[in-house]
Amino acid sequence: MKLIFLLPLALGNMVSSLTIETKSTTPHWVTLSCDSGHKYLFSETEMTWQDARAECKLYGGWLVEISGLRENNCLLKYAESVGLQDWWWTGGNDEANEGVFVHDHDGTELEWLSCWASNTDGVEGRHGIENNALIFGTYQDYRAGCWYDDRGYLKWKFICEGIA
């Protein structure tokens, strides 16, 4: 977004302008071929899992349900093409039963799991009881396309999914 200000100068009728570049914080949906009839929103802000879940509902969607390798790869390719390297909250969680991952939107069990990323200490990405929500990695390294079971009170960016 560009903001342009006109500044009157005291010397005659001269006018000078100042342009300030600002980063957009308006989220927007993108239609991808990941899941027919669906659209996606990659957030620009970090939130807890619960807050991200509520934010997606506010936008008319839900936290992304990555239902298979094709959708996982499609989201990864898009993120890489636009330079998004981060961890992203998904709707996958095991809040009700440790180790039994379900989609938050409809409660169905995940039928597949991606690779598990390790953290910087080398700890494998599946943790215990306090780690109950899945994040999806779009970094250009060993985390690309992998998931990590993390604590829902931490703040990460998130991906919403909705009907196109």
Side-chain angles (χ1 to χ4, degrees):
M1 174 189 296
K2 288 185 179 180
L3 301 174
I4 299 176
F5 298 94
L6 297 177
L7 305 171
L9 297 176
L11 302 172
N13 290 336
M14 297 177 66
V15 176
S16 179
S17 67
L18 169 66
T19 302
I20 300 175
E21 296 277 341
T22 62
K23 183 177 179 183
S24 169
T25 56
T26 305
H28 62 280
W29 292 96
V30 292
T31 302
L32 306 172
S33 61
C34 302
D35 192 358
S36 181
H38 288 221
K39 59 185 178 180
Y40 301 88
L41 183 149
F42 286 74
S43 74
E44 295 180 0
T45 58
E46 295 179 349
M47 296 183 179
T48 66
W49 187 78
Q50 289 290 350
D51 289 344
R53 182 178 173 221
E55 193 80 2
C56 287
K57 287 181 182 180
L58 179 70
Y59 297 145
W62 56 88
L63 279 172
V64 67
E65 295 180 350
I66 303 175
S67 57
L69 183 59
R70 182 178 176 277
E71 187 173 16
N72 196 80
N73 289 345
C74 178
L75 293 169
L76 179 60
K77 287 177 187 177
Y78 171 76
E80 289 176 351
S81 75
V82 294
L84 300 174
Q85 293 191 51
D86 223 316
W87 284 112
W88 308 84
W89 285 124
T90 73
N93 71 87
D94 63 347
E95 285 188 312
N97 299 96
E98 183 60 32
V100 178
F101 290 95
V102 298
H103 293 291
D104 178 62
H105 177 62
D106 62 10
T108 59
E109 291 183 9
L110 274 67
E111 295 183 6
W112 83 290
L113 295 172
S114 183
C115 56
W116 291 101
S118 301
N119 67 16
T120 55
D121 298 327
V123 176
E124 199 255 356
R126 271 185 92 158
H127 293 289
I129 238 40
E130 68 181 36
N131 298 73
N132 53 14
L134 294 177
I135 53 178
F136 166 66
T138 59
Y139 293 95
Q140 294 289 302
D141 59 19
Y142 68 93
R143 300 168 289 184
C146 291
W147 296 358
Y148 191 89
D149 187 16
D150 213 352
R151 296 173 296 271
Y153 59 80
L154 296 177
K155 292 185 178 183
W156 297 108
K157 291 181 180 176
F158 54 94
I159 304 171
C160 300
E161 184 173 359
I163 302 298

